[in-house]
Amino acid sequence: YKPTDTVARMCHPLSPMTFQSLFLWNEGAHTISVGIAKPSDFDEVVHAAGLYGQPSYESLTLPKVDSAKANLDAAMEAAVGDGWLRDFWRG
């Protein structure tokens, strides 16, 4: 697993894998699928689970998740435009 420099920068200080795990759990997902090529590929998801379970999650980690999401959303809008984002689901 090697994220692009752009995605890694937008998610910093979280790794992209840690961000996606925390984001999904925040949205109510209780199960995530992790494709692994080697046992260490679980490390970032296990790290994310540890962060999610901390009493300080909402005050220390959640703002980092929100910041990464805002960065990714802004990049997506810059790439495809807000018209597409608003209407893509219509087909």
Side-chain angles (χ1 to χ4, degrees):
Y1 162 72
K2 173 77 173 108
T4 66
D5 291 340
T6 301
V7 171
R9 186 175 60 254
M10 286 189 280
C11 292
H12 184 78
L14 302 173
S15 73
M17 190 68 73
T18 298
F19 163 75
Q20 72 89 27
S21 298
L22 294 172
F23 174 78
L24 288 172
W25 290 325
N26 251 13
E27 295 295 306
H30 54 78
T31 304
I32 59 172
S33 296
V34 180
I36 64 163
K38 57 190 178 305
S40 63
D41 289 347
F42 279 120
D43 293 348
E44 290 185 66
V45 177
V46 171
H47 173 70
L51 291 173
Y52 192 74
Q54 292 294 317
S56 62
Y57 176 75
E58 286 191 20
S59 63
L60 295 179
T61 305
L62 189 54
K64 296 172 187 173
V65 174
D66 292 341
S67 176
K69 183 177 182 320
N71 291 340
L72 292 164
D73 286 347
M76 184 169 51
E77 185 174 333
V80 300
D82 74 315
W84 185 87
L85 291 173
R86 187 179 52 252
D87 298 329
F88 76 92
W89 59 272
R90 295 178 191 201

